[in-house]
Amino acid sequence: TAGGEWCPACGLATPVPGTPRDALLALAKQSILAKLRLPARPGAPQPPARGALLAALRRMRAQRSDTAVFPPGMLPNGAVPHLNPGMGRQEYEILSFAEAGSSTSHSVRLHFRFSQELAGSTEILQATLYLFWAVPSPGTQPVTIRILQPDPAGPNMTLSSETRLEVQRSGWTTLDVGPAVRSLFGQETPRLTVELEMPEAWGSPLPADPNDSHWPFVVAQAQARTHHRVHRR
Amino acid sequence: GIDCGRDSRMCCRQEFFVDFKEIGWEDWIIQPEGYHMNYCTGLCPLHMAGIPGLAASFHTAVLNRIKAASAAAAVDSCCVPTQRRPLSLLYYDRDSNIVKTDIPDMIVDSCGCT
């Protein structure tokens, strides 16, 4: 504030009238980065393909409207959602697209990375994996989805959970990966690894063209962790 | 509260808009296009303590007279935000995930004297 007063009531430096614009711009940057818990602005992003992004947003809205159809406060099964214990805490919605990992003729690994800043300062409320199956021929086909965790003892991966599906036709499938992402958020490099195993005839579930709108993605909801609060008596 | 004019001296809200293009942040912040970093500035003489800007009611005017007359406690009063709202941000994090969050209390809507 260049000698401006420090306002005791609101804990904010009171900009002295006539403060140079650059100083105010620097204050704006610092304020946003601090609130997002970012040490510095992220580098130039690699945006997802437009088709994949639009498809993901449509799926997310469709998922959300399913719950909106029911009276406020009532879930489809009649249960009343628990009130968010962290009412008033800053919430985040994260959309993460898959990175293709190693693959064989009948399996492929997908990686979903989460930033350390978010992982270190938030807790996961829920996380959902969206997968699109392009079934080449009619009939029911077995598919296996494995959630893998990094093995603390070595470079390998350990099986965290396994889900078997019977896929009858092309379409989207969703899978709750909340527990897996929740446990990741306590680790050094939060990266979710998903292994898909399909019938040999299908080939890879990943679209050949990355611009394809059926790229797998994860949607996670998180909220700021509570810091240790000191209550003044 | 009132918004600062060119020659405002009393406590008021000074508007200040940061265009993310201007600071080169438009590549990682998807929405919005800028941030209203308004702030409070101006004097808070004793008789205006507790006033959100200028008095509007007879009751407040009488109260002011009493306070101005009783200069017993020459205590400074601060021009501070009295109303704020969240800043909704949609941005890319460093893994190019898309993140949406509402940062509470980031935009000052009105100012007043403590």
Side-chain angles (χ1 to χ4, degrees):
Chain A
T1 61
E5 324 89 62
W6 183 268
C7 173
C10 60
L12 271 180
T14 309
V16 175
T19 302
R21 186 171 177 77
D22 293 344
L24 288 172
L25 293 181
L27 183 62
K29 289 182 184 179
Q30 175 198 338
S31 170
I32 290 175
L33 291 178
K35 295 286 185 173
L36 295 181
R37 294 179 181 81
L38 296 176
R41 59 146 289 170
Q46 287 110 34
R50 183 177 175 74
L53 180 55
L54 289 176
L57 293 175
R58 279 192 206 102
R59 295 310 310 170
M60 285 166 68
R61 186 173 297 143
Q63 188 83 4
R64 188 166 301 144
S65 59
D66 291 348
T67 50
V69 168
F70 296 90
M74 185 68 72
L75 289 178
N77 54 11
V80 177
H82 66 280
L83 276 178
N84 173 355
M87 290 295 282
R89 276 195 264 162
Q90 189 170 335
E91 294 202 357
Y92 297 80
E93 204 166 355
I94 307 154
L95 175 55
S96 179
F97 286 91
E99 290 171 16
S102 57
S103 64
T104 67
S105 59
H106 59 280
S107 73
V108 66
R109 281 191 179 180
L110 308 175
H111 302 298
F112 300 88
R113 285 201 289 184
F114 297 94
S115 78
Q116 220 171 7
E117 288 85 11
L118 272 179
S121 61
T122 62
E123 53 199 18
I124 286 290
L125 298 177
Q126 66 180 10
T128 307
L129 170 64
Y130 288 75
L131 295 166
F132 184 86
W133 305 108
V135 177
S137 56
T140 301
Q141 303 284 351
V143 168
T144 304
I145 304 172
R146 296 188 186 89
I147 306 289
L148 305 177
Q149 296 274 24
D151 181 355
N156 300 327
M157 307 287 286
T158 57
L159 181 62
S160 166
S161 73
E162 181 172 281
T163 306
R164 292 173 186 274
L165 300 178
E166 296 289 331
V167 178
Q168 295 161 349
R169 58 185 179 282
S170 296
W172 288 94
T173 302
T174 58
L175 186 70
D176 177 14
V177 290
V181 177
R182 201 167 289 125
S183 69
L184 275 177
F185 262 39
Q187 293 177 11
E188 192 68 32
T189 51
R191 184 177 81 160
L192 177 71
T193 300
V194 177
E195 185 175 84
L196 309 179
E197 190 176 312
M198 304 78 51
E200 199 89 21
W202 278 22
S204 168
L206 275 183
D209 175 7
N211 292 309
D212 189 294
S213 61
H214 297 139
W215 201 260
F217 61 94
V218 163
V219 175
Q221 265 96 29
Q223 74 183 359
R225 281 209 191 107
T226 50
H227 303 293
H228 171 59
R229 288 229 175 108
V230 177
H231 294 279
R232 267 178 300 193
R233 197 177 307 276
Chain B
I2 50 175
D3 287 344
C4 297
R6 183 176 301 277
D7 49 6
S8 299
R9 292 182 58 252
M10 290 303 167
C11 177
C12 56
R13 181 185 72 146
Q14 178 62 59
E15 295 209 355
F16 185 81
F17 180 72
V18 178
D19 188 334
F20 288 141
K21 271 201 179 73
E22 181 180 357
I23 57 176
W25 275 17
E26 78 285 3
D27 60 339
W28 71 281
I29 293 184
I30 305 166
Q31 283 287 335
E33 291 172 358
Y35 167 36
H36 290 274
M37 193 180 76
N38 309 327
Y39 58 90
C40 302
T41 187
L43 301 175
C44 274
L46 181 61
H47 68 279
M48 278 187 64
I51 303 302
L54 291 179
S57 69
F58 169 76
H59 169 267
T60 308
V62 168
L63 196 61
N64 289 352
R65 295 295 299 165
I66 296 168
K67 281 193 276 189
S70 63
V75 172
D76 275 350
S77 167
C78 287
C79 180
V80 295
T82 51
Q83 255 182 334
R84 296 191 218 213
R85 56 189 158 91
L87 168 62
S88 290
L89 273 185
L90 190 67
Y91 65 95
Y92 289 109
D93 69 9
R94 61 179 166 135
D95 294 306
S96 294
N97 296 326
I98 295 174
V99 183
K100 175 189 175 304
T101 190
D102 297 335
I103 309 174
D105 298 337
M106 280 289 274
I107 300 174
V108 173
D109 271 342
S110 72
C111 300
C113 295
T114 57

